[in-house]
Amino acid sequence: MIRKYSIGRPIETGSVVSKFPLSEGTPKGLTLQEGSTFVISLSDTAVVYGLGETVRGINKRGWKYISNCSDDPNHTESKNSLYAAHNFVLILDKEEATGYYFDTPEKVIFDIGYTRLDQMAVTLTKGDAYIYEITADITGMNTMAGAEDSSPRRVVRQFRQMIGRSYIPPLWAFGYGQSRWGYRCRKDIENVIAGYEEADIPLDSVYMDIDYMERYKDFTVDEEKFPQFGEFVSEVKKKNIHLVPIIDAGVKIEEGYDVYEEGVRDGHFCKKEDGKELVAAVWPGRVHFPDFFQEKTRKWFGEKYDVLLKQGIDGFWNDMNEPAIFYTEEGLTEAFSRIKEYEGKNLDIQSFFDFQSVVGSLNNNPKDYARFYHNYEGQKIRHDKVHNLYGYLMTRAAGEAFRRLSPDKRILLFSRSSYIGMHRYGGVWTGDNQSWWSHMLLNIQQLPGLNMCGFLFSGADTGGFGADCTEDIVLRWLAVSLYTPLFRNHAALGTRDQELYRFVHKDWMRGLIRLRYALIPYLYSEFMKAAFRDDLYIQPLSFVYTEDERARNVEDQLLVGESIMIAPVYTQNATGRMVYLPEEMKMLRFAGDSLVEESVLAKGDHYIPVSLKEAVMFLRPGHALPLAKPAKTTAELDLDHLTYLTFNARPEDYELYRDDGITPVKE
Ligand code: MIG
């Protein structure tokens, strides 16, 4: 049952697609305290889920999270905000679940047992929102035959139904992808492909970071570094490999550059109070930001992707769309004049730090977000009031355009910044993590929340983006990303080489990637069923084993699809780990893609050794797992001949989903 409430004067975000009558007053389960703070008490046993892409554990209790899309590459547990604003929480107390969705672009503070251990307080910082209260009772709702049932899943399914079906990528997007910030030219990319070929490691995509562009200009390709780009794309395509370029939010200011000139001419850029375009700086130096809040701008910018589609490109990642700002002209001028004030002065302890912060606080400065405006449905709205929608609307522009420009072919699309609603147009990657073990755990812990919020197509930079990786972290991370729909190895400029063929134990890595390809019929079926049924592809144990108290505390094991539970090793030098089985399960041990052990384990705790070249998963009773023969690319997978691993089930009991993997799915 869903009840919709309205507080203040909410701005329409477009995140909800179903219509609901407004209920009087405020949500029954929440108490409205001073201003716009909604409070609910949490019993000792209650677990709070949701919030999508954010810091900390699967259970969000014990911290303060702020929805404020931020370009912050330090995802430590001390942070309050990452790139996204996913304002959905689900409280599971005993076996009863209730969900709340705060649909508003403003900053929302989720104080979940931070100020008081026994209460959640949600503060709307401006006080304008639609609030949806979702209970598990599903009278009148489509019962979703085929899906398992539980109170939290009923809440999630209703929520997902109301926000619309999740984005569905092409099948090849489930293959393995290699990326790195620093591939400068055609040769670099050819070398990567050759490296994978020589090492005989499967590969479906290579990502192109900002260096492919001409002076970082969106929708251009540097002719010198990438001569005959279209031809190159089709040559690579002959090997069934897809090139996936990055698109940044900022448009370079440069005379003669069509995107800039059309944007100015037709009023597509964000303007300041004085009616002039905001000048900010990002990669290309000075840029303007498209006003994606205007429908005409979304249409215009979206059509621009066609320049690349026409050259055979069929996937994109949208970056820097919080939007990230290095500085604005005004900010820079102010900083220089403040620096001058310090010149010749004796900088004591306080003034020295102030001085230092003048430059340090130039980027992503909240003051800059208050310097420009959007034109939204006939209203002029200051950016800071709708900041959290910017990345969503950029990606929506692309997603909407692809429906027109590519009606017969699905296009891969994912974004760094997002808001709920964007899940209908593209997926997300979780941004600039580090090659840290703690970030592998964070990756595991972000997945259930992302799934609840509709972002089924998601994944982290495998191996870690910032900092130098080690061979063992790459191996262990491969064994985590094995299960995430987006499986991309990405690393930052200046960090240690991270392509798999560079490592001593590339044969172990090959084995794990081959296992991924063997799993694709399963992963794809589970993904598609989750999308069609508004269900979860990855979920916490407690969503199935609701009556099991232990399951509610499990923070490092997940259910992936209907058949398997995973328990990855995420600590360095560990040769195994403890695993909790909420019921009897069949352990499947793979060394690379060969099954080396199958054994039935009783409900309870087990120490499971897992070497660096292995992946272990647990098959649930009454379930089956289809496997394909691994291939070099998804295009070469033989999906007609699958083998099944079963546990008290027959292969026919498994509901396999198949399609051509490319034709867009009807809404
Ligand atoms: O300021 O394009 O998150 O994946 O490699 C850094 C360069 C800009 C941030 C993205 C990252 C990408 C990088 N970008």
Side-chain angles (χ1 to χ4, degrees):
M1 173 77 143
I2 302 177
R3 282 215 170 77
K4 176 181 182 179
Y5 300 86
S6 172
I7 311 296
R9 301 182 56 216
I11 291 172
E12 301 294 332
T13 65
S15 70
V16 175
V17 294
S18 317
K19 298 245 178 304
F20 297 93
L22 275 184
S23 296
E24 293 281 312
T26 58
K28 279 200 275 181
L30 304 174
T31 314
L32 180 57
Q33 279 185 354
E34 75 221 60
S36 330
T37 296
F38 293 88
V39 173
I40 182 167
S41 58
L42 301 172
S43 76
D44 292 348
T45 51
V47 177
V48 182
Y49 295 101
L51 295 185
E53 182 188 271
T54 182
V55 293
R56 300 207 170 210
I58 296 177
N59 183 349
K60 307 316 290 182
R61 281 185 82 156
W63 191 238
K64 189 166 76 173
Y65 309 86
I66 305 175
S67 296
N68 180 30
C69 298
S70 309
D71 165 26
D72 182 338
N74 264 307
H75 310 168
T76 52
E77 52 186 290
S78 56
K79 294 300 163 71
N80 306 103
S81 312
L82 294 179
Y83 310 89
H86 298 160
N87 300 333
F88 172 73
V89 286
L90 182 149
I91 302 169
L92 178 64
D93 198 356
K94 301 267 165 43
E95 283 149 60
E96 272 311 303
T98 315
Y100 294 98
Y101 177 47
F102 299 85
D103 186 12
T104 171
E106 69 197 57
K107 272 190 201 124
V108 183
I109 304 167
F110 292 88
D111 175 337
I112 309 181
Y114 170 76
T115 303
R116 279 187 60 153
L117 280 173
D118 60 353
Q119 113 182 347
M120 174 172 88
V122 181
T123 301
L124 303 170
T125 53
K126 287 185 60 266
D128 305 312
Y130 290 115
I131 306 178
Y132 296 84
E133 187 172 46
I134 308 165
T135 53
D137 130 48
I138 51 167
T139 3
M141 190 201 175
N142 152 9
T143 54
M144 319 234 170
E148 258 183 312
D149 211 10
S150 72
S151 173
R153 275 173 88 165
R154 285 181 180 202
V155 168
V156 168
R157 291 208 299 260
Q158 292 178 83
F159 173 57
R160 296 272 304 289
Q161 201 170 50
M162 87 183 211
I163 59 174
R165 187 196 286 160
S166 294
Y167 161 75
I168 294 175
L171 175 66
W172 64 262
F174 286 76
Y176 174 73
Q178 180 63 55
S179 183
R180 181 178 181 84
W181 175 13
Y183 297 154
R184 291 150 308 165
C185 58
R186 177 170 172 159
K187 191 85 210 122
D188 283 353
I189 293 195
E190 284 169 347
N191 288 342
V192 170
I193 295 173
Y196 275 91
E197 273 172 356
E198 275 156 37
D200 193 24
I201 302 174
L203 180 74
D204 262 79
S205 53
V206 181
Y207 288 76
M208 301 174 64
D209 209 319
I210 46 175
D211 299 294
Y212 78 87
M213 292 182 257
E214 191 189 283
R215 295 189 290 285
Y216 306 122
K217 288 186 300 189
D218 279 338
F219 312 113
T220 67
V221 176
D222 190 315
E223 261 296 310
E224 256 167 53
K225 298 188 270 174
F226 288 90
Q228 277 112 42
F229 185 61
E231 244 168 65
F232 179 48
V233 177
S234 41
E235 252 167 60
V236 170
K237 196 67 77 59
K238 280 192 203 124
K239 302 182 172 175
N240 294 316
I241 294 174
H242 303 253
L243 298 178
V244 186
I246 195 170
I247 302 292
D248 281 2
V251 170
K252 182 171 170 64
I253 300 176
E254 187 184 281
E255 294 301 317
Y257 169 38
D258 58 344
V259 185
Y260 161 71
E261 290 189 341
E262 287 170 25
V264 171
R265 185 192 67 205
D266 298 332
H268 290 306
F269 294 130
C270 297
K271 300 200 171 68
K272 295 178 293 186
E273 182 73 77
D274 64 7
K276 296 205 182 93
E277 278 92 0
L278 175 85
V279 178
V282 209
W283 290 112
R286 296 192 148 83
V287 299
H288 290 324
F289 286 119
D291 183 0
F292 296 114
F293 288 75
Q294 305 186 103
E295 207 183 321
K296 67 166 189 184
T297 301
R298 286 205 297 278
K299 189 150 184 294
W300 165 75
F301 194 85
E303 301 279 334
K304 293 289 165 204
Y305 286 79
D306 207 27
V307 174
L308 292 156
L309 291 176
K310 284 215 176 87
Q311 301 184 74
I313 292 295
D314 47 13
F316 299 90
W317 46 311
N318 284 345
D319 191 21
M320 304 293 274
N321 51 6
E322 294 70 28
I325 296 180
F326 293 171
Y327 59 85
T328 58
E329 274 204 325
E330 291 78 5
L332 196 63
T333 311
E334 283 170 23
F336 277 122
S337 70
R338 282 187 57 201
I339 286 175
K340 284 202 193 88
E341 287 168 23
Y342 290 104
E343 207 170 10
K345 292 220 176 95
N346 171 20
L347 295 183
D348 62 9
I349 180 79
Q350 193 48 46
S351 53
F352 171 70
F353 288 120
D354 288 344
F355 169 69
Q356 218 181 15
S357 80
V358 172
V359 176
S361 62
L362 264 178
N363 64 323
N364 304 326
N365 190 330
K367 265 174 87 180
D368 287 330
Y369 293 126
R371 292 190 211 269
F372 61 105
Y373 293 80
H374 297 288
N375 204 332
Y376 191 42
E377 291 172 352
Q379 265 184 298
K380 185 173 159 188
I381 306 184
R382 207 169 73 186
H383 176 81
D384 58 345
K385 302 189 174 144
V386 287
H387 173 73
N388 287 341
L389 302 182
Y390 193 82
Y392 146 52
L393 292 173
M394 175 190 183
T395 297
R396 179 167 160 183
E400 284 172 341
F402 296 158
R403 288 171 191 173
R404 297 190 301 272
L405 302 172
S406 179
D408 305 322
K409 207 166 96 178
R410 298 180 210 162
I411 302 294
L412 169 61
L413 177 64
F414 57 91
S415 174
R416 192 169 71 178
S417 186
S418 61
Y419 182 82
I420 290 172
M422 201 201 83
H423 71 288
R424 302 195 297 269
Y425 304 95
V428 290
W429 96 97
T430 54
D432 298 346
N433 62 4
Q434 310 265 346
S435 298
W436 294 345
W437 295 86
S438 59
H439 278 181
M440 200 187 307
L441 177 60
L442 177 63
N443 179 187
I444 294 166
Q445 293 175 327
Q446 285 177 328
L447 291 166
L450 282 165
N451 272 254
M452 290 173 208
C453 297
F455 295 94
L456 300 183
F457 191 76
S458 51
D461 286 349
T462 300
F465 175 74
D468 287 334
C469 66
T470 55
E471 185 160 8
D472 57 344
I473 204 173
V474 173
L475 280 158
R476 290 301 196 199
W477 216 314
L478 292 178
V480 171
S481 300
L482 258 187
Y483 310 99
T484 60
L486 172 63
F487 186 178
R488 180 180 77 144
N489 177 338
H490 182 44
L493 193 69
T495 59
R496 179 178 178 182
D497 289 334
Q498 208 164 288
E499 294 81 15
L500 303 184
Y501 54 83
R502 310 239 189 210
F503 295 96
V504 176
H505 292 291
K506 51 174 167 278
D507 52 330
W508 296 356
M509 297 184 178
R510 178 197 308 128
L512 290 168
I513 301 296
R514 281 171 60 85
L515 178 57
R516 163 68 172 216
Y517 280 73
L519 286 169
I520 281 179
Y522 175 72
L523 303 179
Y524 187 69
S525 292
E526 293 306 309
F527 180 95
M528 296 300 277
K529 289 186 280 180
F532 291 137
R533 293 172 183 152
D534 300 312
D535 206 349
L536 294 132
Y537 163 79
I538 287 185
Q539 60 190 325
L541 270 47
S542 58
F543 276 44
V544 168
Y545 306 98
T546 31
E547 67 302 334
D548 181 340
E549 266 177 54
R550 277 286 305 280
R552 271 177 240 148
N553 289 318
V554 175
E555 284 280 333
D556 57 1
Q557 301 178 197
L558 299 169
L559 292 162
V560 179
E562 65 171 65
S563 303
I564 60 176
M565 181 185 81
I566 64 165
V569 175
Y570 54 88
T571 40
Q572 191 160 31
N573 301 320
T575 52
R577 55 164 287 180
M578 290 303 298
V579 177
Y580 173 66
L581 302 193
E583 63 181 325
E584 184 184 68
M585 289 183 183
K586 188 190 261 185
M587 180 186 73
L588 307 173
R589 174 185 302 280
F590 291 89
D593 59 307
S594 14
L595 181 69
V596 293
E597 187 191 348
E598 277 184 273
S599 45
V600 175
L601 300 177
K603 172 181 159 92
D605 297 298
H606 299 267
Y607 181 78
I608 309 289
V610 189
S611 74
L612 285 175
K613 65 175 174 197
E614 290 178 328
V616 170
M617 53 196 99
F618 303 87
L619 187 54
R620 297 176 57 199
H623 288 275
L625 177 69
L627 292 171
K629 195 163 160 285
K632 284 180 70 173
T633 62
T634 49
E636 289 150 275
L637 279 175
D638 177 1
L639 299 171
D640 293 324
H641 300 96
L642 306 178
T643 54
Y644 285 81
L645 298 174
T646 58
F647 182 29
N648 297 340
R650 298 161 309 162
E652 311 84 271
D653 296 334
Y654 184 71
E655 190 191 358
L656 187 76
Y657 176 85
R658 261 194 82 177
D659 60 14
D660 66 5
I662 196 78
T663 306
V665 177
K666 295 241 155 43
E667 306 269 316

